[in-house]
Amino acid sequence: MSLVDSLPIWAVYVGLVVVMLLSAEAGFRAGIWLQDRSDESGESKMTGAVVGGMLGLMAFMMAFTIGIVINQQGERRTMVVEEANAIGTAWLRADFLEESDRSAAKSLLKEYTEIRIATAEDSSIYDAMVTRSEEIHNELWAIMEDNVRRGNESDIAGLTILSINDVIDVHSERLFVANLRLPRVLGILLFLATILSFLLVGAASSADRKRDTSAMVLFALVFSAVLIVIIDLDRPQEGLLTVPQTAMTDLLRQITPG
């Protein structure tokens, strides 16, 4: 999906429509060519039962694929809320630390929240975000280690350490979920099946040797729209159907002084 990811969503949509219409035209011309070399005229058996079966198979594949990408999108949404809760809890429990450590920990948690939101808005900084996030993890953990070395081993200190550990764990889980994509093989199979479907539809429409251009264009537009929904949902934070960062932005508003 790397080639598709490099293109804006509108360009992918236009490309799909063009490919479908070209496939239908190729099927139409192939149907005419076969009729000219056949003793029988009209719609063949292939363009009847096979076209219906192929479109039924496409409907099943598209429903199955949409189920996968919607589930992945749902997991991404859940992880945003979980991460916001983990950071918010760590922020509150940082008040149990001494003044210098409290200020340092809260400053790091605020920066951490800011870069998570920034990355959701600009995927080009993803790698830098991961690096800086892990640096903040190390700095926060160093503060916790220093507290333990100074003898701060109370139950409250343990809760603070646990909350920082949760922030680190959720980071790994969110990266895993963010990188969930539609299997490449399934995407290629869906694309090839789409081309084959329009080839067969074009061949079927050649029975009366007349193109139904308006119906074919409408069919291609609607079919491409469904595929675009799949492609858009498969992109973690690009396109029209992105994962909302409301929980993170609300958290940043709450932890920002003033």
Side-chain angles (χ1 to χ4, degrees):
M1 301 294 286
S2 57
L3 177 61
V4 176
D5 290 343
S6 64
L7 300 173
I9 200 70
W10 65 264
V12 178
Y13 180 74
V14 172
L16 285 173
V17 172
V18 171
V19 169
M20 291 178 187
L21 292 177
L22 290 176
S23 300
E25 177 64 19
F28 180 85
R29 296 191 179 191
I32 296 294
W33 184 84
L34 290 174
Q35 287 184 40
D36 291 341
R37 285 155 181 77
S38 175
D39 296 333
E40 301 178 2
S41 60
E43 185 179 11
S44 67
K45 294 180 180 179
M46 178 198 73
T47 55
V50 175
V51 171
M54 189 65 196
L55 292 178
L57 177 61
M58 279 300 303
F60 171 77
M61 289 181 60
M62 294 173 75
F64 177 73
T65 306
I66 288 177
I68 293 176
V69 293
I70 286 179
N71 182 63
Q72 292 175 349
Q73 189 82 332
E75 291 183 18
R76 296 187 188 110
R77 290 170 178 263
T78 299
M79 289 310 304
V80 172
V81 177
E82 287 191 15
E83 184 166 53
N85 289 337
I87 297 172
T89 300
W91 169 273
L92 293 174
R93 291 180 180 177
D95 285 329
F96 297 128
L97 301 174
E98 296 180 0
E99 175 57 34
S100 59
D101 290 340
R102 177 169 64 250
S103 299
K106 287 195 169 186
S107 176
L108 289 170
L109 288 170
K110 181 175 180 294
E111 180 189 356
Y112 189 76
T113 305
E114 291 172 341
I115 64 175
R116 307 299 272 196
I117 296 173
T119 306
E121 298 173 351
D122 182 7
S123 59
S124 64
I125 64 173
Y126 178 84
D127 292 337
M129 178 277 293
V130 173
T131 300
R132 179 54 187 154
S133 294
E134 293 173 350
E135 290 174 352
I136 292 176
H137 294 164
N138 293 333
E139 293 175 31
L140 287 170
W141 197 250
I143 293 175
M144 298 300 103
E145 289 180 339
D146 187 55
N147 271 263
V148 173
R149 290 193 185 98
R150 294 201 304 265
N152 187 6
E153 299 179 359
S154 65
D155 292 340
I156 294 179
L159 290 175
T160 306
I161 294 171
L162 180 61
S163 64
I164 297 298
N165 188 69
D166 288 341
V167 171
I168 297 173
D169 289 344
V170 172
H171 165 78
S172 300
E173 294 173 5
R174 189 174 178 188
L175 289 185
F176 173 78
V177 171
N179 290 320
L180 286 177
R181 304 299 302 274
L182 188 69
R184 185 183 297 270
V185 173
L186 182 56
I188 294 174
L189 179 61
L190 187 61
F191 180 72
L192 294 178
T194 299
I195 293 177
L196 179 58
S197 296
F198 273 81
L199 282 170
L200 293 175
V201 169
S205 66
S206 68
D208 57 1
R209 309 178 76 89
K210 295 180 181 179
R211 293 180 179 85
D212 191 350
T213 305
S214 58
M216 193 59 65
V217 170
L218 181 61
F219 186 37
L221 290 173
V222 175
F223 210 94
S224 298
V226 177
L227 291 179
I228 279 297
V229 170
I230 295 174
I231 294 172
D232 202 359
L233 286 172
D234 190 48
R235 295 182 173 189
Q237 205 61 37
E238 299 177 20
L240 303 175
L241 305 174
T242 58
V243 178
Q245 302 295 310
T246 307
M248 295 294 286
T249 54
D250 286 346
L251 171 65
L252 181 60
R253 175 179 53 81
Q254 294 170 12
I255 67 178
T256 299

